[in-house]
Amino acid sequence: MKKVSDAVIRRLPKYYRHLAELEREGVEKISSSELSKKMGLNASQIRQDFNCFGGFGQQGFGYYVKVLKGEIQSILGLKNRYNAIIVGMGNIGQALASYDNFAREGFFVLGAFDVSKDLVGRSVKGVSIMPMEQMKGFVEQNDVNLGIICTPEQYAAQTAQMLSDCGVKAIWNFAPIDIQMESTIVENVHLSDSLYILSYRINEQMRLDDTKE
Amino acid sequence: MKKVSDAVIRRLPKYYRHLAELEREGVEKISSSELSKKMGLNASQIRQDFNCFGGFGQQGFGYYVKVLKGEIQSILGLKNRYNAIIVGMGNIGQALASYDNFAREGFFVLGAFDVSKDLVGRSVKGVSIMPMEQMKGFVEQNDVNLGIICTPEQYAAQTAQMLSDCGVKAIWNFAPIDIQMESTIVENVHLSDSLYILSYRINEQMRLDDTKE
């Protein structure tokens, strides 16, 4: 498979979500123009994106929802199983440990780690909280390939390094700081970004309302 | 101010984050090429983006970090105060109620609502959980302009409608479903999207490793 651009890859989860929704609604077939309306993209963009992976359809015929969803699921690697650990079991860590939706797609949280003596030894929804020193052994024994960072901002970089040293190949970072690593895959989640977009929109709306008056 | 494209607006929080980081590090001035390296964007893109808002700098001179951060903070509406409520006080709702970082930028969670009799009457980090029937009165009395949806997927759409009927102008949706409304501003947060990008990258890495062998 040839190298696909980052922008296309970042749209794949959105396609997957919309197709899963169509499947749940019982829709069997959809044209690229119907899909484009639903997703707020234009139809030629959709056809171009799909062409990066060899097409999936015949011009003028549309797509079978279930087949297309399956293809994108494969491309995203969502037919595999991933073993995850959470580091930092404050509020966000505990919320993620309790969130069932990830397991539906093959992401299993097998354990959690924290520096706090109050937290170590407890468990959240069946996920045990262990001391940091046990991380390396746990990662090796359980074939952990995903580390979820939920520590405070100031510990995030060293936690990422520790996960990488333990052999974890991919990091999902919820600490509000950008982590960049050479040899480890990182996705930085910035919850505030969408909050700031909202405040922009609220102010834009207020400016429009002022102009109308 | 003229209408700015969605893509530019969506980059503003990223500029804001990086400039805040530079400010914390004590950096006073930065050129667009230094900023571009730090952010992984190209320099002409950055200059174009800033030109949408009238520039902020002089060609060849660079930007004062503090001034530029302040400008973007204003544009994003982050110098105002926002009053928020959370609907759905499961794990994600409780985590958001406990998350201090939002208050730093002027977003205050004043109350929470849930259908569960076990939760109503309790409070999380000083945020009281009230029954749904009290939402309208609370929104009016407290000038609430932001509703945060943390309900299960199947209740998200009706919750959005209820918030809108109560007069809430903006919705931050954490339920794993896209909400689209005519007269209310909505930002849908899809936590899984970045998780799917990670699984794509993990598989891409495995394919590369296979090719090398």
Side-chain angles (χ1 to χ4, degrees):
Chain A
M1 200 157 70
K2 68 169 199 280
K3 185 84 180 166
V4 178
S5 83
D6 198 58
V8 177
I9 294 163
R10 295 206 165 268
R11 279 193 291 273
L12 290 176
K14 193 172 176 182
Y15 287 121
Y16 182 67
R17 253 191 292 120
H18 282 272
L19 289 163
E21 209 176 299
L22 287 166
E23 193 187 27
R24 279 197 301 275
E25 290 165 3
V27 178
E28 285 191 14
K29 247 183 82 178
I30 192 162
S31 67
S32 51
S33 72
E34 285 164 327
L35 190 58
S36 75
K37 258 179 238 153
K38 183 170 162 57
M39 293 185 55
L41 291 170
N42 73 57
S44 74
Q45 166 106 79
I46 291 180
R47 283 189 297 265
Q48 265 178 41
D49 284 354
F50 292 173
N51 278 338
C52 298
F53 304 97
F56 309 138
Q58 214 178 315
Q59 185 77 40
F61 184 81
Y63 304 100
Y64 284 107
V65 169
K66 199 173 176 157
V67 175
L68 183 55
K69 185 199 149 209
E71 294 276 2
I72 294 179
Q73 194 177 17
S74 289
I75 292 169
L76 284 171
L78 294 178
K79 291 186 172 171
N80 306 334
R81 180 195 161 103
Y82 301 92
N83 297 325
I85 56 173
I86 296 174
V87 189
M89 281 296 275
N91 297 303
I92 299 275
Q94 292 194 25
L96 290 175
S98 318
Y99 199 54
D100 306 322
N101 290 6
F102 302 139
R104 280 198 290 186
E105 297 294 350
F107 298 87
F108 295 91
V109 177
L110 301 186
F113 296 86
D114 204 289
V115 291
S116 155
K117 285 192 180 123
D118 293 338
L119 289 171
V120 166
R122 285 179 49 196
S123 83
V124 174
K125 278 256 189 156
V127 177
S128 305
I129 309 178
M130 294 166 273
M132 302 293 276
E133 308 83 72
Q134 291 180 18
M135 193 190 294
K136 195 169 174 60
F138 190 88
V139 165
E140 285 167 5
Q141 275 163 39
N142 293 281
D143 195 19
V144 170
N145 41 17
L146 179 64
I148 307 175
I149 299 181
C150 300
T151 66
E153 186 172 341
Q154 64 268 35
Y155 303 116
Q158 68 195 67
T159 303
Q161 192 54 56
M162 189 187 265
L163 283 164
S164 176
D165 293 344
C166 289
V168 174
K169 294 274 181 273
I171 288 174
W172 200 21
N173 172 40
F174 281 80
I177 187 173
D178 265 329
I179 292 176
Q180 285 170 341
M181 300 188 88
E182 286 280 311
S183 57
T184 308
I185 303 158
V186 183
E187 274 291 311
N188 296 296
V189 177
H190 292 290
L191 290 183
S192 326
D193 281 15
S194 58
L195 186 59
Y196 297 171
I197 299 289
L198 272 178
S199 64
Y200 179 89
R201 301 273 183 223
I202 293 172
N203 283 276
E204 185 183 44
Q205 191 59 52
M206 289 192 306
R207 280 192 302 269
L208 285 172
D209 291 348
D210 286 349
T211 321
K212 273 182 211 154
E213 273 161 21
Chain B
M1 198 156 74
K2 68 170 196 279
K3 185 84 181 168
V4 177
S5 84
D6 198 57
V8 177
I9 294 164
R10 296 207 163 267
R11 278 193 291 274
L12 291 176
K14 193 172 176 181
Y15 287 119
Y16 182 67
R17 255 193 288 121
H18 281 273
L19 289 163
E21 209 176 299
L22 287 166
E23 192 186 28
R24 279 197 300 273
E25 290 164 3
V27 178
E28 285 191 13
K29 246 184 81 178
I30 193 161
S31 67
S32 52
S33 73
E34 286 165 326
L35 189 58
S36 74
K37 259 181 235 150
K38 183 170 162 55
M39 293 186 54
L41 291 171
N42 71 57
S44 74
Q45 166 106 81
I46 291 181
R47 283 189 298 265
Q48 265 177 42
D49 285 355
F50 291 174
N51 278 338
C52 296
F53 303 98
F56 309 138
Q58 212 178 316
Q59 185 76 39
F61 183 82
Y63 304 100
Y64 284 107
V65 169
K66 200 173 175 157
V67 175
L68 183 55
K69 186 199 148 212
E71 294 275 2
I72 293 179
Q73 195 176 16
S74 289
I75 292 169
L76 283 171
L78 293 178
K79 292 184 172 172
N80 305 335
R81 180 194 162 105
Y82 301 92
N83 296 327
I85 55 173
I86 297 175
V87 188
M89 281 295 276
N91 296 301
I92 300 274
Q94 292 195 24
L96 291 175
S98 318
Y99 200 53
D100 306 323
N101 290 7
F102 301 138
R104 281 199 290 187
E105 298 294 351
F107 298 87
F108 295 90
V109 177
L110 302 186
F113 296 85
D114 204 288
V115 291
S116 155
K117 285 192 180 124
D118 294 338
L119 289 171
V120 166
R122 286 179 47 198
S123 82
V124 174
K125 279 256 190 154
V127 176
S128 305
I129 308 178
M130 295 165 272
M132 303 294 274
E133 307 82 71
Q134 292 180 19
M135 193 189 292
K136 194 167 174 63
F138 190 89
V139 165
E140 285 167 5
Q141 275 162 38
N142 294 280
D143 194 18
V144 170
N145 41 16
L146 178 65
I148 307 176
I149 298 181
C150 300
T151 66
E153 186 173 340
Q154 63 269 34
Y155 303 116
Q158 69 195 69
T159 303
Q161 192 55 55
M162 190 187 265
L163 283 164
S164 175
D165 293 344
C166 289
V168 174
K169 294 273 181 272
I171 288 174
W172 200 21
N173 172 38
F174 281 80
I177 186 172
D178 266 329
I179 292 176
Q180 286 170 341
M181 300 187 88
E182 288 279 311
S183 57
T184 309
I185 303 159
V186 183
E187 273 292 310
N188 295 295
V189 177
H190 291 289
L191 290 182
S192 327
D193 281 14
S194 60
L195 186 60
Y196 297 169
I197 299 289
L198 272 177
S199 66
Y200 179 89
R201 301 272 184 224
I202 294 172
N203 284 277
E204 184 184 44
Q205 191 58 52
M206 289 192 307
R207 281 193 301 267
L208 285 171
D209 291 348
D210 286 351
T211 320
K212 275 182 207 153
E213 273 160 21

